[in-house]
Amino acid sequence: MNDTDTPSKVAAYSVVSGDMYDWSDLADGQALPGGPVLTRFAVAAATGASHLIVVGPHDLDLLDAVVDRAATTTIVLRTHSDAELVSARYAHRAVDVVCGDLRAWTPDRPADAVLALDGFGRVASIDTDPADWHAIAEHLAGHTSGDTRLALVVPNPGSPLAQLRAVNPEASNENADWSFPVHDRANPRSLADASARFGGRGYTLWPDVGSPTLAAAPEACSVALAVAHGRPSDTPTLREVQPALGQALDTLGAAGAAGGWLVTRGLHPISSVVGVDRTGDETSWTAAERSWLIEAMHDSARRDASGLRHHVRRLRDAVADAPERWCGIQVDEIGLDAGHVVPVHESTVKLGESADEILLGLLDELAAYLCVTGWRHPWPAGRGRDELTVLLAATVDVAATPADVHQVRRRRESALSSTGMTPVVAGRQAPQDADPSELRKLMDENEALRGQVAWFKQQMRQRQTMTHEVRTAARRDVAALNDRIKELEDQLSARQAPTVNRVAKRASSVPGRARSGFGRVPGARRAARLLRRVLRAIRRVAKR
């Protein structure tokens, strides 16, 4: 470690207090911030800047996109291994690299653009006092002005999506290792808190902060968009995320359930919704009000056959009217807007040819959700994915057989794989054909996950109940205090009124009593008349 606060020079980079030799951010398992969504914000912040400060490690492709956008760039990293790599990469560019704790560094010239897309989690040395988000934010704000462009990522540790992705699928209901996180006071409580710190605009990031596929302002982020981007492609056993995420959005809202937040300032060209589809291409997004998948699964869970049939019929009619709009859409990318079924984005991918094939593929994915997540449906138990797809198609008079479903599924999954997309769920055997041990394992897995989701819902209900009780008690106490204040004011007014009246009455009678008493003095009236004649005579003389 470097024990001095004075910057020194090692090879091609500067060193300040808090530098680390035995830790590598670029080599650990945590992904570095990158991807097309964050890169677009980074380019908007860096373009035309005279001095850009990059705080913490970032994906090298993202750095490549921004270092030449500013006249000079300073990158602050806490480890020597990262500093060596970055300084060697940009040895012939206008890039300065600083190695050490951000809190021990002061820029030698003002900055008009700041990038901190990795947040503040990897900018302080682990050998010093624990990093405090607010302290680091205050330090950084002290070296910028209100006109400085800013793009800062804040992870949301309370995101249900982050918690569900961390669940061990083999955990039992009694596993005590999984719990809802308690808020850490050293971090922002909400997107509003983080935005207020820098006076910027807030975005929600989905599904996570490392490589989000969607950044949307809270007022523009609908349930349909959040669900469409909330499905992690690297956890095929956690397809229960969508139903749980839908419940969390109803309870917490878009900002509270997001995987993280992005605070920006001065980036005017950035729209309220920035995202890419599952092939990685930028596209236009429709902020539909609700998610068709969540609504259909809710009807299925209530065993509302007519409601589920109504949703399937509306989807059938929409696909039949314009098959080209639906051929590249997956089932969790369907929204409900003003009673109409709409795709949440425009896709050029071909996952089916005819309207019947596209509809059957979407219904097969809905059946897969119902089977894998263990949600109930209106039909007798024991139905596998193939049979459930056939029944869903039959509700809208579409004739299909299990063989037809298998054929459509194979073509659809092949098209998904060829475009870099992933199936909605991993393939599962039908219950009647499954091995008993494998079936028992799947049932235990679903039971464990259902128990964990139920625990999360119970905790949220308890928090809502406690909040309601506290508010009711506070209102009751305030009303009692107001009544007591009114009572005391009335008593004080009643006590003050007689005394004031008596004083006023006596004061008003003083002149009359004085005149009557003076008139009873012998010779007083004659003296008064004489005095008045003398005064009139003096006035006449004065007028002459």
Side-chain angles (χ1 to χ4, degrees):
M1 292 298 228
N2 184 23
D3 296 329
T4 65
D5 293 334
T6 303
S8 61
K9 196 76 173 178
V10 175
Y13 56 90
S14 302
V15 180
V16 297
S17 177
D19 58 311
M20 302 172 63
Y21 288 97
D22 55 352
W23 187 275
S24 176
D25 289 323
L26 296 178
D28 66 7
Q30 184 178 350
L32 296 179
V37 173
L38 292 183
T39 300
R40 182 171 176 182
F41 283 91
V43 169
T47 301
S50 60
H51 182 204
L52 168 68
I53 295 179
V54 181
V55 178
H58 289 67
D59 184 76
L60 295 177
D61 291 336
L62 186 147
L63 292 179
D64 290 341
V66 301
V67 292
D68 289 333
R69 302 279 178 169
T72 59
T73 302
T74 301
I75 304 175
V76 185
L77 303 166
R78 69 179 179 182
T79 63
H80 284 274
S81 58
D82 300 338
E84 291 173 359
L85 176 62
V86 173
S87 61
R89 188 179 186 90
Y90 305 113
H92 303 290
R93 317 272 272 277
V95 176
D96 297 327
V97 179
V98 178
C99 179
D101 194 317
L102 175 66
R103 296 170 294 182
W105 174 73
T106 300
D108 56 359
R109 58 189 182 279
D112 54 354
V114 174
L115 285 182
L117 300 181
D118 193 48
F120 296 150
R122 292 183 284 192
V123 299
S125 172
I126 62 174
D127 294 335
T128 58
D129 295 334
D132 185 298
W133 190 94
H134 299 283
I136 297 175
E138 184 176 359
H139 174 81
L140 187 62
H143 301 302
T144 59
S145 65
D147 297 331
T148 302
R149 293 198 296 269
L150 175 74
L152 166 68
V153 164
V154 183
N156 179 18
S159 167
L161 178 60
Q163 294 303 308
L164 287 173
R165 294 184 70 179
V167 172
N168 181 4
E170 299 179 357
S172 64
N173 291 338
E174 294 78 22
N175 187 357
D177 294 335
W178 190 87
S179 62
F180 192 81
V182 178
H183 173 67
D184 183 1
R185 296 181 182 274
N187 293 299
R189 182 179 296 273
S190 64
L191 174 59
D193 293 341
S195 300
R197 165 68 69 171
F198 291 96
R201 183 183 187 185
Y203 292 80
T204 58
L205 296 179
W206 303 87
D208 49 35
V209 296
S211 182
T213 58
L214 179 73
E219 65 273 11
C221 185
S222 65
V223 174
L225 287 184
V227 169
H229 287 269
R231 173 165 60 90
S233 60
D234 57 342
T235 53
T237 60
L238 289 182
R239 299 309 181 187
E240 294 82 355
V241 162
Q242 269 78 358
L245 182 58
Q247 296 288 349
L249 286 166
D250 292 338
T251 305
L252 302 176
W261 308 309
L262 174 66
V263 178
T264 66
R265 188 174 64 198
L267 309 187
H268 301 295
I270 299 298
S271 59
S272 59
V273 178
V274 178
V276 297
D277 61 19
R278 286 175 179 155
T279 63
D281 298 329
E282 290 193 27
T283 184
S284 59
W285 294 92
T286 302
E289 298 173 353
R290 294 172 293 160
S291 168
W292 181 89
L293 172 65
I294 299 299
E295 296 296 327
M297 294 189 73
H298 284 170
D299 286 339
S300 177
R302 292 190 293 263
R303 291 180 174 167
D304 182 2
S306 61
L308 185 59
R309 185 181 302 108
H310 178 64
H311 282 96
V312 175
R313 184 181 300 113
R314 288 201 293 185
L315 178 62
R316 187 269 318 267
D317 295 341
V319 173
D321 290 341
E324 66 280 359
R325 295 188 62 195
W326 299 90
C327 62
I329 301 297
Q330 294 182 268
V331 71
D332 50 353
E333 297 174 323
I334 304 174
L336 289 172
D337 192 13
H340 299 286
V341 181
V342 295
V344 298
H345 70 91
E346 302 294 335
S347 177
T348 59
V349 178
K350 296 293 184 182
L351 301 180
E353 297 296 337
S354 64
D356 288 342
E357 181 179 354
I358 297 170
L359 176 64
L360 194 60
L362 293 173
L363 295 180
D364 179 53
E365 291 181 347
L366 172 61
Y369 269 107
L370 295 176
C371 290
V372 176
T373 60
W375 281 44
R376 297 182 302 178
H377 53 75
W379 297 284
R383 304 290 181 180
R385 176 178 175 178
D386 298 339
E387 292 178 312
L388 188 54
T389 303
V390 171
L391 289 173
L392 289 170
T395 60
V396 290
D397 300 327
V398 174
T401 64
D404 297 332
V405 175
H406 276 288
Q407 185 177 8
V408 169
R409 187 185 306 156
R410 283 196 300 268
R411 288 200 297 264
R412 189 176 181 85
E413 292 182 351
S414 176
L416 287 170
S417 301
S418 64
T419 56
M421 303 166 66
T422 57
V424 172
V425 296
R428 300 293 182 104
Q429 293 176 297
Q432 61 269 25
D433 300 328
D435 181 74
S437 61
E438 179 66 18
L439 180 60
R440 172 53 56 186
K441 181 179 178 181
L442 297 178
M443 292 176 63
D444 292 342
E445 175 185 328
N446 286 332
E447 184 65 27
L449 290 171
R450 283 199 300 270
Q452 290 154 2
V453 174
W455 181 91
F456 171 77
K457 294 179 181 178
Q458 180 183 5
Q459 293 297 311
M460 296 306 302
R461 284 194 295 267
Q462 290 178 356
R463 292 189 178 193
Q464 289 177 338
T465 302
M466 292 175 62
T467 302
H468 177 71
E469 292 175 352
V470 169
R471 289 179 178 174
T472 302
R475 293 192 189 101
R476 186 169 55 249
D477 294 341
V478 171
L481 288 174
N482 288 334
D483 294 340
R484 180 58 178 165
I485 292 172
K486 184 66 169 59
E487 180 182 353
L488 292 175
E489 289 177 348
D490 293 341
Q491 292 178 2
L492 182 60
S493 299
R495 290 181 180 181
Q496 291 177 344
T499 303
V500 174
N501 291 338
R502 285 197 299 270
V503 172
K505 184 176 181 181
R506 290 181 179 180
S508 63
S509 63
V510 167
R513 292 200 306 270
R515 288 193 301 269
S516 63
F518 182 74
R520 289 194 291 270
V521 177
R525 296 181 183 272
R526 188 180 301 110
R529 286 194 297 271
L530 179 60
L531 179 61
R532 285 196 294 270
R533 286 197 295 270
V534 172
L535 290 174
R536 285 196 295 270
I538 293 173
R539 292 191 187 100
R540 284 195 298 270
V541 172
K543 290 181 179 179
R544 292 176 186 172

